Amino acid sequence: MKKEKILVIGASGQIGVELTLALRKIYGGAQVIASDLREENELLKGTGPYVSLDVMNKEMLHVQVIRQGVTQIYLLAAILSATGEKNPPLAWNLNMQSLLNVLDIAKEEKLSKVYWPSSIAVFGPTSPKDACPQHTIIEPSTVYGISKFAGEFWCNYFHQRFGVDVRSIRYPGLISYKSAPGGGTTDYAIEIFHAAKLGKMYPCFLKADTHLPMMYMPDAIRATIELMEAPAERIKVRTSYNLSSMSFSPQEIHQEIKKHLPDFQISYQPDYRQHIADSWPKSIDDAPARNDWGWKHEYDLSKMTAEMLKNIG
Ligand code: NAD
Ligand code: AKB
C-alpha cells in the first residue's frame, strides 16, 4: 500500500490542531505536515513536521507539495462568518483562491484525496429552519456563506471534470477547548464555558432563544476521518455533506451549565452576529451522511457540557 503524505493547511486553527493530532495518530507524525501562516500551535510542537506557508502563494504551495511528496491535502485556512462580514473582499479572496489553488495543484499532481470543509452557513433565510435537508433552497446572505456555497460547486466541478477525489462536510458550530475559535457566529458556545469556569457572568452576543446546529469537536474530527477513509463509491455527495449532532440556544446551554455550576449567570447583548445567526437553520437533517458512509454522532448537549467543564482549566 502506498504511504500517504498529508499536508494540513491552517493547522494552527481551531480544527487544524485537533485534526493534525488525530491524523498523526493514524498515519504517524512524520507523514502529516502541519502548515499555517501563523506560528506553530504549542500542542503540535514535537509531534511532527511544521512548515510556514501562505496558501495564497500558489507557486510556493506547489513547490512544497512536490518537494515533500504530498499525496493528500486538508485545507482549513479560511475567514469565518463574523470576521468575514467585517472585510467581505478579504474573506471572498482567501476562501475562494485558497480552494482554487489547492484543487488545481491536486489535479496537476494527481493527489489521492483533498478535504475542504463547508459550513451550515451555506443556508440562508429562505432555507427550511428545522431539520434543514441536504438538498433544498440555498440562498446564503453572508460573504462567508456565499464563499462556502461557491466552493462546494468548485469541489463538485473538479471531481466531475478532472476526477479529483475531493470530499467535504458542512460543519455546524464546533465546540472545543484545545485551541481558540477563529471568529465565527457560533463562538459564544465556547466563550460561555470559559466565563463559567472563571466564575464570571457571560455577556452573550446572541438572543436567549437563538437555536443553532452545534457539534463537539471529537465528533467533527471522527466524522472528517471517517468520510476521508470511506470507499470512493460510497461518497454520493460531491458538493458537501450535511452533518448534525445537537442544536441548542444560549438559554438552553446556560441551563445545562447551571446543572454543574448553579450560580453561573448570563446576560444578553445581541450585536451584528444576531443577524447572521437568524439567517441560518436551527437544526440540520443529515440522512445522506448517515446512509452513505455510516455517520453516527456520540455527543449531545449534556455529554458535551460535562466534558467541556471537566477539561477547561
Ligand atoms: P480558524 O480560523 O481557527 O483556523 C484557520 C487557520 O487558517 C488559522 O490558523 C489561520 O492562521 C490559517 N490561515 C489563514 N490564512 C491563511 C493563509 N493565507 N495561509 C495559510 N494559513 C492561513 O478556523 P477553523 O475554525 O479551524 O476552521 C477551519 C475550516 O473549517 C474553515 O474552512 C471553516 O470555514 C470551517 N468551519 C469551521 C467551523 C467551526 O465552527 N470552527 C464550522 C464550519 C466550518
Ligand atoms: C461560524 O460561526 O462562522 C462557524 C460556522 C458555523 O461555519 N462556526
Side-chain angles (χ1 to χ4, degrees):
M1 197 175 76
K2 192 175 154 218
K3 237 183 167 186
E4 299 290 352
K5 192 83 180 271
I6 297 172
L7 175 65
V8 182
I9 301 172
S12 290
Q14 191 199 356
I15 301 174
V17 170
E18 298 204 36
L19 188 56
T20 301
L21 292 172
L23 289 169
R24 283 180 174 163
K25 261 199 186 142
I26 299 169
Y27 293 93
Q31 297 308 113
V32 182
I33 305 157
S35 74
D36 204 293
L37 203 53
R38 56 173 148 156
E39 71 279 11
E40 185 177 19
N41 184 284
E42 284 300 317
L43 293 175
L44 295 180
K45 286 187 178 161
T47 67
Y50 174 82
V51 292
S52 177
L53 188 146
D54 181 356
V55 67
M56 299 297 275
N57 186 337
K58 189 178 174 190
E59 262 175 48
M60 284 308 292
L61 174 61
H62 204 156
V63 166
Q64 283 290 351
V65 167
I66 294 170
R67 191 183 287 162
Q68 309 263 8
V70 168
T71 60
Q72 295 188 10
I73 294 180
Y74 286 67
L75 170 58
L76 304 172
I79 290 179
L80 279 77
S81 60
T83 311
E85 290 311 293
K86 291 184 182 156
N87 192 339
L90 188 71
W92 174 258
N93 197 26
L94 174 65
N95 295 2
M96 282 293 86
Q97 200 54 51
S98 59
L99 178 60
L100 291 173
N101 287 352
V102 166
L103 289 175
D104 218 32
I105 291 169
K107 179 188 95 176
E108 288 277 305
E109 300 306 324
K110 301 193 174 22
L111 299 192
S112 69
K113 279 175 207 165
V114 173
Y115 179 74
W116 171 84
S118 182
S119 161
I120 54 147
V122 292
F123 299 115
T126 50
S127 303
K129 285 284 168 209
D130 296 306
C132 186
Q134 177 75 45
H135 300 287
T136 185
I137 300 169
I138 298 191
E139 296 177 333
S141 59
T142 60
V143 66
Y144 175 65
I146 299 169
S147 72
K148 289 296 182 189
F149 193 39
E152 290 187 4
F153 281 88
W154 276 115
C155 291
N156 194 50
Y157 180 82
F158 269 75
H159 175 67
Q160 304 295 337
R161 174 113 198 251
F162 306 116
V164 175
D165 189 353
V166 48
R167 305 178 182 196
S168 178
I169 286 172
R170 290 173 180 155
Y171 293 131
L174 300 182
I175 300 166
S176 66
Y177 60 89
K178 289 190 182 164
S179 43
T185 305
T186 58
D187 292 4
Y188 91 84
I190 300 170
E191 294 171 5
I192 195 169
F193 285 107
H194 291 276
K197 284 295 286 220
L198 288 171
K200 291 186 174 163
M201 176 193 275
Y202 178 62
C204 184
F205 58 76
L206 297 181
K207 287 189 213 154
D209 62 349
T210 311
H211 283 83
L212 286 173
M214 299 280 187
M215 181 172 284
Y216 192 40
M217 189 64 87
D219 265 348
I221 299 296
R222 186 170 52 78
T224 306
I225 290 170
E226 285 176 7
L227 172 73
M228 290 299 275
E229 288 186 345
E233 63 274 12
R234 298 198 41 197
I235 310 302
K236 308 264 170 33
V237 175
R238 287 294 181 166
T239 47
S240 187
Y241 275 101
N242 277 11
L243 198 75
S244 165
S245 62
M246 62 182 105
S247 166
F248 57 79
S249 64
Q251 74 192 357
E252 286 170 349
I253 194 172
H254 176 225
Q255 289 309 317
E256 192 60 41
I257 293 172
K258 276 180 66 148
K259 290 181 188 165
H260 303 260
L261 300 167
D263 295 334
F264 176 51
Q265 289 185 29
I266 189 168
S267 67
Y268 296 101
Q269 301 167 21
D271 65 15
Y272 70 99
R273 289 167 280 193
Q274 184 66 47
H275 188 63
I276 301 175
D278 287 342
S279 77
W280 292 347
K282 295 176 177 179
S283 63
I284 298 288
D285 175 75
D286 61 357
R290 289 176 192 266
N291 292 335
D292 292 359
W293 45 277
W295 162 243
K296 277 195 194 93
H297 70 273
E298 201 185 305
Y299 289 88
D300 59 13
L301 175 58
S302 78
K303 197 170 168 189
M304 178 273 289
T305 300
E307 286 276 312
M308 284 293 284
L309 291 173
K310 190 175 79 192
N311 284 299
I312 291 175

